[in-house]
Amino acid sequence: MKYCTEFSTVTYPVCVYIYTLQPKPHLSHNRKEANMGFDLMKTRRNRTPLFVFLVSLILSNLYGQGILIAPVEADDKEVHIVYMGKRQHNDPELVTALHHDLLTSVVGSKEAASSSFVYSYRHGFSGFAARLTKSQAQQIAGSEGVLHVVPNRFHTLQTTRSWDYLGLSSHSPTNLLHEANLGDGVIIGIIDTGVWPESKAFTDVDLGPIPSRWKGQCDSGQAFNATTDCNKKIIGARWFIDGFLASNNQPFNTPENPDYLSPRDSFGHGTHTSSTAAGSFVGNVSYKGIGLGVARGGAPRARLAHYKACWNGQCASADVLRALDQAIHDGVDVLSLSLVTGIPLFSDVDERDLIATGSFHAVANGIIVVCSAGNDGPSSQTVHNTAPWILTVAASTIDRSFPTSITLGNNKTIWGQAMFAGKEIGFTGLMYPESPGLIPTVAGVCESLSLDNNSVVGKVVLCFTTVPIRVPLTHVSSIVKAAGGLGVIIARSPRSNLAPCSDDFPCIVVDYELGTEILFYIRATSSPTVKLSLSRTLVGKPVSTKIAYFSSRGPSSIAPAILKPDIAAPDVNILAATTPMDGGFSFYSGTSMAAPHVSAVVVVIKSLHPNWSPAAIKSAIITTAWQTDPSGEPIFAEGSPRKLADPFDYGGGLINPNRARNPGLVYDMGTDDCIHYLCAMGYNSSSISQLVDNSTVCPNPQPSILDVNLPSITIPNLRNATSLGRTVTNVGPTNSVYRLLIEPPLGVIIAVKPDTLVFNSTTKKVSFDVSVSTTHRVNAGYYFGSLTWTDGVHIVRSPISVRTQIIPSFADD
């Protein structure tokens, strides 16, 4: 059993394993894995850990030691992606032939074109990937029909309680889950690290035939037999690695980073995300008794199609785009991508964000695309996957914690948090490593901790850290253990993500207030002692819901008038299936876990409303979300300091599946709205025309981005009174009357006409205008409110975010 948590200060996630040198064993027993985050310092049974300074280890691995793939030299050919918009022919073979002809005209011969060719994108859109020099890339960019040419780049990867927490209990016969027959017949495409098909989470017992509309297949490969490893649950399994291999100059599948040339998952991430979304019921799952329960996906009867496009924790854009193209052809209903690029972001269509480009074509084909928001929080303007046609998911906790008692020698009990399932530590010595210098606390700072063996043997150590990632926790636990210590208590700023330390070594976290209380006890006592008890599992109202510390925040750095993220979902300490090397089921944390939660909700909504557009489903999810947790308590956003969550933390709020099935009204979006957005963003009319396969001339003057028909209103620069429009579609009772409720942001005046919406058998859509002005006379930050339509049964709430931008005038000198 393994725990991983995503690296919250950078987009690249890492898990570290440290072993002594031994003869090379079987592939599945010796690896240093780059996974979703810090797992940290795990050792296999019967192996002696080699403790090193973890920070140096990670940095050396990140930069050139096999975890990150070094790019090829600038003078060599590099993989470029030639994007040509919507395909112009229905015959995929003809499309590929045209790609070869275009490439041949540039490289000079069919033989050279064949050796340079990597992929043909020929189903959902047109384009290809090929190895090109810079001059060849420039030449092909000027060819007729080519929208743009971009270099290949890498994207990074970003349960037993969460579904009950969201109100989708399998024991209740009346909720959305059962109305949707547990998602049966809907197909989820997972673009990730593959799948471990033998997991009990992927049993197909009691599943009916594979949907007849499915056009995909399973591909055999290393340690993966398509005939036996696919079933009525895993109905598709493909792998794409050519873009990855063509863009690195280091060997693949090394002892340090083993993997399979097949859909098989050696990493655990793809297995975890897919089982979170659609895993079958597996009873008595826990981490050594912690978090015990039934593990299952949110749509346990949905079918899974795996597209392995991520290798060694990295996902080449050429491979991801190929997976998107194939998924469109195969007939998936939902696409789940727990992938992000780096900051700064690239624009949606004309530059390098090929997830946005590929997902546009998927949405145009009726596929809803769900992506993670990223793990760069709590800083603002760090949200990823910001295109308005993508459903972007932030990360929240659930109502489960793991309290662990710390009993001091004065019989006072302090409650920390841990995943400690080893042997209880009876009363033993407790120490804080004081420094004799002018900075008396420096020795007790976790990241600089240096211990003398004699002072630590048989004792528990207290330390403090200000670093938000898990390096200090694992580093200090290894040092304390190597010095003969029995456990460590770490004081840090409050955050929810936890992890067990290796070999059941007790590492318990407390906040600074409690850490200071323990320190005062140590300083006031000649022989301080402490007892560390095993962790318990606490579920329910006493545990508050929070937006995770690492969850990326809005506003969007590309289009601040487009609210991102869209929604929040559980992602902290999620227990789901992984590989046998990790014990079969593991706790993971990160927005990677939030995306499949939303994907599963999309599945069950689509089961009930198969004809709803991706935008309608997205609107239903956003406008029905909770702004409190399910028990009615406020949702806070972790950070410094912790604050009440706002739309830039969680979009519409925390996903509420049972309300989303029946939203009453939806804000729908079609191609016209996408064109409006693209024109408002200043994209070239010719590029837009090829993207949407329709001649487009952007109007002059440029349209307002505020008029894009989103289920939210965000005004980043309110200077003068501003007007915008929205249109809602009735998906509830035919004869309905909705009335307006407004919670205006502080100092903002909002007027809506009309203030009553009347629907009947002939009126399905109604438009309304919103006027916004402000009383503020100075530059200010964002203020938040809402615009809600209600018929007494349905509550259709749109979040409002407004920032005033008053430009001062300066007198001439």
Side-chain angles (χ1 to χ4, degrees), residues 378 397 417 492-497 511 543-549 553 634-645 649:
T397 66
Q417 290 283 320
R492 67 178 191 181
S493 73
R495 296 188 298 282
S496 297
N497 50 318
D511 63 23
V543 185
S544 63
T545 298
K546 298 170 286 293
I547 300 302
Y549 184 92
R553 314 296 166 93
I635 298 175
F636 286 85
E638 291 183 335
S640 298
R642 181 176 290 174
K643 65 179 181 65
L644 282 172
D649 302 313

Side-chain angles (χ1 to χ4, degrees), residues 258-330:
D259 207 336
Y260 302 93
L261 286 171
S262 74
R264 182 169 293 277
D265 182 11
S266 71
F267 210 60
H269 191 276
T271 301
H272 198 281
T273 54
S274 60
S275 62
T276 298
S280 302
F281 291 86
V282 183
N284 296 316
V285 173
S286 71
Y287 170 75
K288 299 182 179 181
I290 298 174
L292 179 66
V294 176
R296 64 177 176 86
R301 294 181 67 88
R303 313 308 171 95
L304 287 165
H306 283 269
Y307 300 88
K308 183 177 178 181
C310 300
W311 311 82
N312 291 352
Q314 296 289 296
C315 319
S317 54
D319 298 330
V320 173
L321 200 61
R322 179 69 178 88
L324 281 163
D325 182 50
Q326 189 64 56
I328 294 170
H329 166 270
D330 291 347

